[in-house]
Amino acid sequence: MKKMSVARKRTLRFLIILGALNLLALAKFGFGNHSTLSTTYGLVLGHEWIILHSVVVKSSTGSTFFALLGLLGCGLGFLFFKLNKTSLAGISIASISILFSFICWAATGKFIPLTGLLQGGLMLAVPLIFGSMSGLLCERSGVINIAIEGQLLAGAFASAVVASVTHKTMLGLIIAPIAGAAVSVLLATFAIKFGVDQVILGFVLNVLVYGLTDFLYKRLLIPYQSTWNQAPSFSQISIPILGKIPIIGPIFFDQTIIVYLMYAIVAAISYGLFRTKWGLRTRSVGEHPEAADSVGIDVNKLRFRNVVIAGLVAGLGGAYFTIGSVGSFGKEMTAGSGFIALAALIFGKWTPKGAILAALLFGFADNLQGTLSIIGVSVPSEFMLMVPYIATIIAVSGLIGRVRAPAADGVFYSRGESH
Amino acid sequence: MSLELRGVTKTFGSLVANDNINLKVDDGEIHAILGENGAGKSTLMNIVYGLVQPDSGEFLVDGNPVTIHQPADALAVGIGMVHQHFMLIPVFSVLENIILGHEQSTKIGSLESSAAREKILKLASEFGFHIDPDAIVENLSVGVQQRVEILKALMYDAKILILDEPTAVLTPQETDEFIEIMKKLRASGTAIIFISHKLREVKAVADKITVIRQGKVVAIADPKSTQEELASLMVGRPVNLTEKKTIHHDNAVVVKVSELNIADEVGRPLVSNINFEIHKGEILAIAGVQGNGQTELANAMVNLHKNVHGSILLDGQEIVGLSVNKSLHSGIAYVPESRELDGLIGKFSIAENLILDTHHEQPFAKGIFMSNKAVEEEAQKKVVEFDIRTQSIDAPVSSLSGGNKQKVVLARELSRPVRLVVACQPTRGLDVGAIEFVHKRILEEREAGRAVLLFSTELDEVMTLADRIAVMYKGEILSIVDASATREQIGLLMAGVKS
Amino acid sequence: MKKFYNRIAETALLPFLSVIMAFVISGLLIVFSDAAVLKVIGSPGKFIKVASSTFMNAYIALFQGAFFDPHLTQGHTLLQGFYPLSETIVTATPLILAGLSVSLAFQSGLFNIGAQGQFIFGAIGASYVGFHYTFSPVVHVTLALLAGIVLASLWGGFVGLLKARTGAHEVIVTIMMNYIAGFFILWILKTKSFLRPRRIDPLAPNIKPSAELPHLLGSTMRLHAGILIALLAAVFVWWLLNKTTIGFQFRAVGANASAAKTAGISVGVTTMLTMTIAGALAGLGGAVHVLGNQYALTSDIAGSFGFDAITVALLGRAKPRGTVMAALLFGALRTGGRTMEANTSTPLDIVLVIQALIVLFIASPALVRFIFRIKNLQSQGTLASKGWNG
Amino acid sequence: SQAAKVKACMVLDTGGIDDHSFNAGSWAGMQSATSIADVQYLPSTSSADFQPNIKKFIDLKCQLIVGVGFSISSAIVAAGKANPGVKFAVVDDSAMDCNADYSVCNAVANVKGLTFGTDQAAFQAGYLAAGYSKSGIVATYGGAPYPTVTIFMDGFAKGVAYYNSAKHKSVKVLGWDPKNPSSGTFVGDFANMNKAGQISSNFEQQGADVIMPVAGGLEAATLSQSLKSGKSVVVGVDTDAVASYPQYSSVILTTVQKGLGAAIKSVIFDVALNRFNNKAYVGTLSNNGVSIAPLHDFASKVSSRLQLDTKIVGSGVRSGKISLSN
Ligand SMILES: Nc1ncnc2c1ncn2[C@@H]1O[C@H](COP(=O)(O)OP(=O)(O)OP(=O)(O)O)[C@@H](O)[C@H]1O
Ligand SMILES: Nc1ncnc2c1ncn2[C@@H]1O[C@H](COP(=O)(O)OP(=O)(O)OP(=O)(O)O)[C@@H](O)[C@H]1O
Ligand SMILES: [Mg+2]
Ligand SMILES: [Mg+2]
């Protein structure tokens, strides 16, 4: 007990808090819940094969069950903690249980479309995932990317304009990555060639893209809306068989082409970064550029290329806002997604898996907030809207604490000038 | 293969790092380059390896001119290099570090490393290394890391191997093994350029010695010359290699460390069960190969480390758990391992650096108001007292040379009332003159009745200064021996062998 | 004397060239997105005429709108012609304060993206004390300002506390806190204590006249005492950073946290204090904005001041004087942009482009050097932030 | 030839000219008067821009200055008092000049307030929606919880309630409960299309088949979602959605129209013809200041019985027989 490290203390503290919360949930949502009504969880969303249409649980029974499950999770976590193993599984069970215990209580007599809740979370996470993948590619190569927001916005703008003018969504899909890459070229040129501080640079590039799109939007897109800003958009394609799998199908396999592209990109990056020559080299220039240079890797060329690829990815993500959903462009429509994506990347400790999970977590929190407000939870709407942001702060400060970025992230490399 | 350099010149601003250097290394020769810190040895080698562009000069390999603009060019003509500062990626495995830059891919684009793995194991056994290709480099001791560096250079059949201070982090025994490896390589026809400060080693292995001073080749020396001769060639004046010391016997215990344990963020032990005492007027040196817990122990002495358990009594008072500021002010002078990273604020002026620790006290501050005058007066005084060579006390500290930077740190740390001096690698990277100065100051503190805890990886320094020597290995003190112990005894302890 | 001028010329050259380049590039954008210009793009003669007049008109309007407009002197005193300048300063005032907040944090090695949220809390505090209580003028203004400062410094200090205690990176936390502050003001404006009697619009009552900051040039100009507060704050920040132990610690931690820690400076305490004072400065910005000319709290009271403040601080290289100058420049661009839009229908969003380009060019002297082939172009040392590991 | 044109200028609220809401609607009104007026607008990035924008227009010698939104009201009132020679109007506020504690408020001679009882039209739309809904569930959401937004949601929900009591049905409203006005479903801003689309989809999953978004341009997200899913139809707000989004006409049930354009146009004409008055204008169903739009594509899909009932409800509100106050 006495010789406990900071990280272990944090884990223990977290377990204790979770335990207390689950006890509270048990008391308030479980035993304190005298409602005789039930909560219905809908499992069917679209045209998937139906095994079970919905699950109906008595509100108090559900809450009690989940609170107990949560306590079990805490116990499990504590057991593993004592055995000096990771308590992550226990913590996850406990956290999710609290949530469900709460939902059972809050949604007394209401309907929770479980599949839809998850699918919506994914949909809200899509641009965040694209954005965080862009950040990942840059930062793993040693270039800080604060300009994700700008890359997304540029992609959204360009795809809407091109798809409007040509009436072809495909052309919009092609131009979006190029627009994102254009922002990247600026980022790469100034950061890698001229050694400008990358945090400042990224921030300024966002301002630049905001300014450019606002300006052109007002000057061209509003006055000549029918030609410049009335883009067609993609519709969902259900993948045969896969799309029919209950729960999974509608969540993952009834999406637009942009989402399918996202799966491919995520897979390619996760694989490429850790299994290929390119990935090994990319990580090496992000960790220790001198070492990479000393074995004959052209550090700055690789960085430049990766930053541009990152722009392509984020640009494509930008298309999700326009031709991926409504078609037309709206002023500053990315609404800060790039910054949330950045937070997801950091929260995910610069790993593809972590970043995606963080993005999904945010998307889920955001959508849960929406769903709860629809079924009518009597919390002022403003506070409900804060939920995803508060959740992020709690997660960042309670769970992960100090982070370790790639060692050379943000460090300008010029041969012979360092050390 | 032979390598010849002609007229290599390199300047950094007004500093001439290499001045028209000519050098010829023959087939199967071990060519040592000797020179004090900052003489320009690494710069020259980095130029050969393509990491630094020379202002002028040409290279000939086997008599044919070659152009080297980047490391890839050097690798292509068969030049391999083990760098003074590790060129290993800490978070990569040994295998990943070795194949980096020479990767093979399968048809589907994934890394193919089985051939490399085999070759690593074969080479390692050939030279008697024990290396796990899948170990993560940051978890390896520096000695093993050094081997990885060497393997990296050997993997791709370097014909000319540059070794820039490869023995700096090795134990004496490891160094001996390493010398054997060099000899084996020589026998197989590899030309080696060997850089070292350590005259013993150079004498033991070199076929030819080139001495560089202030960027110029000042002599081609015979390996049979005496150490004193070589040293004075390096420095340009006669030097006295050993300090005098007078033995003190005073029984009062100043510091008593008992059952000290230090853990990292996730609770893994870094340092365990440390017990020692230091008396008034005594120097206890902590020797050991870098990375065996010395840094953590040193940090713990002033509460810079968080997860510390146990007791440190300073004149009977417990200091574990105090703030850093309180620890320093309870009478500890602390010279950190890295003066650039932890000792000084490069952007700050010399004057400001001299009061980092006392800026909030009289006479430098009244309340929150700082007094520029007092700060300047203090700086003027210290610059004279410690012979800090600078044009102005307002110059940023980053503009000073290494030795003068260290003097600033010393001047600051010794300006408080001191009972214990904790000095970590106080002469690392300093030249002979600066080393003399630092040693003199440390001995003066001892004369004045202070306890000194000296951390050093330089065995020579430890042997010269210490009254007693504690050797650390894997976070523990293996043994505390008398100053009369032999190099061999200490060397064995450093390698973890408890007699 | 000659030397002095030379030095000024040298140090001013980079900013000057950067501004010129930013204006030229934005000018091209204005020209080539103009319908009238695009119409005549086929005939070079006409094109040049139309294009150059579009270009000139836009920038003349920008200048008139920012500094001096001769039309305004007609039938009035010459002073009225400087009305735009007064507006420029009014716009710059909250920007200076919020910019100082970001600059101060920068000096201490923190990237404070949270000026927006801190600004909001400053405005809330000042507004509440301003409309809810009655005091004699000087007291009232002081208390209202203080209320804003206190609320905002708590809001900002919380970020410092989180960073010091848990290591949560301030960039993420401040981004999230901005959203939260935005929703919070929306909520509080609907509470009884902030609604105007018998109204439901999210609009707080006007502050009492006793809480208003006095106007400096009579009632025809909106120039108010806030600029004096802002300039004082700039002097304060300079003094704090350079003349006090606290500022010494801030700079030490900012320049090399690890060395500062080794010398006994508590990085955690410094971080908390920095964010608290940074919060106070941005909050003062919000308070001055409310008490100076807004009088009533609205949900968008902060506009984009908190974000512009970051650009301002970057342009001012996180130095108090630089921040003041940068804020005045941005104030001029914003104010002039209005006249540009009104007179020539050039969307004032182009101002954002100009701002971004200026910062970009100043941050990369190498590029400017390369373009203008000037070898010894002086750069005042570019600002360097700390990456994620800092 | 005609006499010189009136110079009419408009200061926008922070939503911008493209908000598909009151800014756009007011500006459309300005543009419809170009036969007699030279019109111009200035955008505002925050409330800090209101005063200087108004001043700019005074300097440019505008004869009529229109401010959009309740938050510009006090700035317009102050300008009005300082510039008696210029005419002013405010959209969405009664533009009264109040004393310090807001106990006494008076109109200013040269300032006209234009307000709209949008809840009346929304009431009618709520009734229509409730009658049209097959699932018995309808929904509404807002961009942010501003009163100008929630008044639509409120009227809509009350219209549904009226339908329920009149027809003994129990159609549910999601997203807004007049009895609990502090909560409700909101996007959080007027820019996040992604979230707006998701909210619409969530409504559909809850079974809603009529959705009324009160979120400016985010309406497009709901329209797009409805068109793709085929599960719901949309009630637009402000200006006839069929005109703004012809491509989505197949899912636009109707629109709760706010007659901003007409009101502003008439103020411009008043100024041109020298008959400006400061009498507060309140758009109601009676004076056609608010209304529900024609059913367009849905004229044939909505039973004539319901169409008739909806009209009757409208006249009930108009005549005061049906009260919205509770
Ligand atoms: N990139 C650089 N920029 C400026 N000066 C440099 C640079 N690299 C080296 N120097 C300077 O050149 C000189 C020679 O340095 P070099 O590293 O070659 O010395 P060395 O002989 O290898 O010393 P050591 O024994 O400490 O390794 C030193 O004064 C050093 O400070
Ligand atoms: N990276 C660098 N950039 C610019 N100048 C440098 C750099 N490194 C060293 N110098 C300059 O080179 C000179 C020599 O530095 P160096 O640290 O090598 O000194 P030194 O010869 O080792 O002296 P000392 O004996 O004091 O250690 C100093 O004046 C220093 O300012
Ligand atoms: Mg040196
Ligand atoms: Mg060297």
Side-chain angles (χ1 to χ4, degrees), chain D residues 245-269:
Chain D
Y245 303 102
Q247 70 271 37
Y248 295 121
S249 62
S250 65
V251 292
I252 299 170
L253 176 60
T254 184
T255 300
V256 179
Q257 296 186 115
K258 190 172 173 184
L260 290 161
I264 286 169
K265 188 173 171 185
S266 92
V267 176
I268 297 176
F269 270 85

Side-chain angles (χ1 to χ4, degrees), chain B residues 278-290:
Chain B
I278 313 177
H279 300 87
K280 266 186 98 155
E282 182 187 37
I283 298 181
L284 174 70
I286 308 272
V289 177
Q290 188 185 328

Side-chain angles (χ1 to χ4, degrees), chain A residues 2-10 271 274-281 283-285 287-288 290-298 402 404 413 415-416 419, chain B residues 49-52 69-72 75 83 85-92 96 99-103 105 108-111 152 261 264-267 306-307 309:
Chain A
K2 217 181 95 203
K3 293 182 190 171
M4 204 158 29
S5 73
V6 177
R8 275 177 71 79
K9 262 189 211 143
R10 186 157 56 215
Y271 178 82
F274 298 101
R275 296 267 182 280
T276 68
K277 169 176 166 179
W278 165 79
L280 190 70
R281 293 185 166 208
R283 286 181 291 132
S284 78
V285 300
E287 289 287 342
H288 196 335
E290 293 84 2
D293 193 2
S294 79
V295 294
I297 295 170
D298 190 333
R402 239 164 271 280
R404 189 180 161 281
Y413 181 69
R415 187 181 292 149
H419 100 246
Chain B
Y49 193 65
L51 276 170
V52 170
H69 288 310
Q70 54 202 20
L75 290 165
H83 302 265
H85 306 281
F86 283 167
M87 290 294 187
L88 294 174
I89 291 150
V91 296
F92 278 16
E96 285 177 320
I99 61 174
L100 185 67
H102 305 271
E103 308 86 345
S105 292
I108 57 160
S110 65
L111 279 176
K152 225 169 98 182
N261 288 281
D264 71 1
E265 272 269 297
V266 287
K306 275 224 182 77
N307 306 311
H309 301 280

Side-chain angles (χ1 to χ4, degrees), chain A residues 419, chain B residues 36-43 46 84-85 164-165 195 197:
Chain A
H419 100 246
Chain B
E36 61 178 324
N37 292 116
K41 309 180 294 287
S42 297
T43 304
N46 285 337
Q84 182 175 6
H85 306 281
D164 193 353
E165 302 203 24
I195 296 177
H197 289 291

